[in-house]
Amino acid sequence: MARIFCPRTELCIPAERLRIWSPEDPHLYSIDLALIDAAGQIVDQAETYAGMRSICIDGPAVKINGRKVFQRLVLDQGFYPMES
């Protein structure tokens, strides 16, 4: 029977280093993750990035960090016939 592991960690950012992502300041944090076994050997690792922000829908409005944002979007209705 296979074991299912759910590793979890909490990444804390000190208040003086917290930088909220916004369209005006799209700051991203670089994150290096490593899964280390009981012997201290790296089993797996990954590099990624993340931004600190909240997104919600309030009626017709999209909000980022509690502020309404205007979205200028393009509707692409292209027609691409299948090749025979």
Side-chain angles (χ1 to χ4, degrees):
M1 176 180 232
R3 291 176 145 186
I4 298 175
F5 294 99
C6 297
R8 178 185 159 147
T9 188
E10 189 172 310
L11 303 173
C12 299
I13 301 172
E16 64 274 6
R17 297 191 60 202
L18 180 61
R19 200 162 152 193
I20 302 296
W21 185 98
S22 72
E24 299 81 26
D25 183 23
H27 176 73
L28 296 173
Y29 291 92
S30 295
I31 301 172
D32 297 321
L33 300 168
L35 182 62
I36 301 172
D37 66 13
Q41 300 297 313
I42 295 176
V43 177
D44 198 2
Q45 59 187 14
E47 295 177 16
T48 189
Y49 54 88
M52 301 298 294
R53 51 89 181 117
S54 67
I55 298 176
C56 71
I57 306 294
D58 185 10
V62 175
K63 292 184 176 182
I64 297 178
N65 302 323
R67 283 187 8 211
K68 289 182 185 179
V69 289
F70 175 75
Q71 294 185 327
R72 181 179 305 177
L73 305 172
V74 175
L75 177 60
D76 181 6
Q77 292 182 320
F79 175 69
Y80 306 98
M82 294 178 58
E83 294 182 26
S84 50

